[in-house]
Every structure is written in C-alpha cells, then in structure tokens.
C-alpha cells in the first residue's frame, strides 16, 4: 500500500508486534523464522529505489529482522532493529535477539558515522505492565 502511494520513495520499515504471525511473538523455529523473514523481506523491500542495498540488508534481515541502510551522500546510517526480541511477551528465538545486539555493537563501535536507530518497542519499557 505504501509502495503504491510512493513508488519512487525509500521506505525503511521495522518489525512491530502487529507484523508477526502470532501477536507479540517471533517465530519459534528456525524453519518458521526463515519463512517469515523471507516473505516479509520480499513484501517490504521489493521495488525499493536503487539507493537501497537490498542484498546487504537481506543478510541480516534473514538472521533476525534487522538491517542497515547507509544514506547516499551522507554520513548518516539507519540501523533498523527488531525490538520484538526484547518484549517480555516474546518467548521465541531469544538467541537471535542476542545476536542482533552483538551486530549493533559491531556497527557502532569505532565508527565515524552518525546513526539513527529505528525500532518499534523502545528499550527499557514493558508497556503491558507499565514497568521501566
């Protein structure tokens, strides 16, 4: 729908609790995760402008639904995180969340770039129990 309305624009989505098959849950098996991330990637990133490095994004997206985009002619980088792994309601594939944090650290450590972090659920809040 967004792609149809803005066919020439770069759209950089992040996974949220309503983008999953079971509400608030990431896929629980490797097979489910591979299918889910593959189908979501194809839906979200098909037809992106040439400035989007689709193959580079696919590598990490398939590992856990996160990716990087370096903006052209800029020192800015978007790191789109899959914060579903950090929700207390999610009990599946938590090791993918740990791998994502390792990836995040590797992206920002010793980098001169400016980073924009994009995520659905911000760190430190369990919004269902209103705890921080």
């Amino acid at each position: 729908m967004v792609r149809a309305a803005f066919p020439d624009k770069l759209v950089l989505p992040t996974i949220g609790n309503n983008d999953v098959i079971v509400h608030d849950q990431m896929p629980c098996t490797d097979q489910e995760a591979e299918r889910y991330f593959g189908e979501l990637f194809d839906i979200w990133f098909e037809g992106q402008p040439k400035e989007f490095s689709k193959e580079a994004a696919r590598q990490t997206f398939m590992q856990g639904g996160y990716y990087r985009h370096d903006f052209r002619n800029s020192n800015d980088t978007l790191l789109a995180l899959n914060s579903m792994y950090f929700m207390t309601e999610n009990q599946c594939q938590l090791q993918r969340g740990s791998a994502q944090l390792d990836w995040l650290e590797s992206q920002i450590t010793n980098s001169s770039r400016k980073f924009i972090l994009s995520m659905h659920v911000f760190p430190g809040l369990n919004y269902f129990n209103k705890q921080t």
Side-chain angles (χ1 to χ4, degrees):
M1 187 158 77
V2 173
R3 176 78 45 234
F6 305 101
D8 300 327
K9 300 299 181 194
L10 181 64
V11 177
L12 301 169
T14 58
I15 294 175
N17 60 315
N18 293 313
D19 299 319
V20 291
I21 296 166
V22 178
H23 190 70
D24 295 334
Q25 292 290 314
M26 292 309 301
C28 286
T29 68
D30 288 342
Q31 183 180 13
E32 290 172 349
E34 184 176 334
R35 180 175 176 214
Y36 169 73
F37 291 128
E39 289 178 3
L40 191 59
F41 188 89
D42 291 343
I43 291 168
W44 278 359
F45 298 108
E46 185 63 37
Q48 284 282 22
K50 292 179 183 174
E51 68 185 274
F52 182 71
S53 179
K54 191 173 177 179
E55 287 311 310
R58 178 180 282 281
Q59 290 177 4
T60 55
F61 197 88
M62 292 302 296
Q63 294 173 19
Y66 53 95
Y67 63 95
R68 171 187 179 130
H69 174 73
D70 295 324
F71 291 96
R72 242 183 338 178
N73 304 319
S74 170
N75 193 38
D76 298 333
T77 294
L78 173 86
L79 299 177
L81 304 177
N82 181 357
S83 56
M84 290 296 298
Y85 289 116
F86 312 127
M87 291 183 61
T88 57
E89 289 73 18
N90 177 58
Q91 298 300 313
C92 294
Q93 300 269 322
L94 299 179
Q95 73 279 8
R96 290 181 187 258
S98 295
Q100 177 183 209
L101 290 176
D102 292 341
W103 172 83
L104 174 61
E105 183 177 18
S106 75
Q107 298 300 301
I108 62 177
T109 301
N110 300 320
S111 177
S112 61
R113 297 190 66 83
K114 293 181 182 178
F115 292 98
I116 302 164
L117 299 181
S118 173
M119 64 193 85
H120 182 70
V121 180
F122 61 90
L125 178 69
N126 176 346
Y127 61 88
F128 291 105
N129 294 328
K130 303 206 183 334
Q131 297 173 353
T132 57

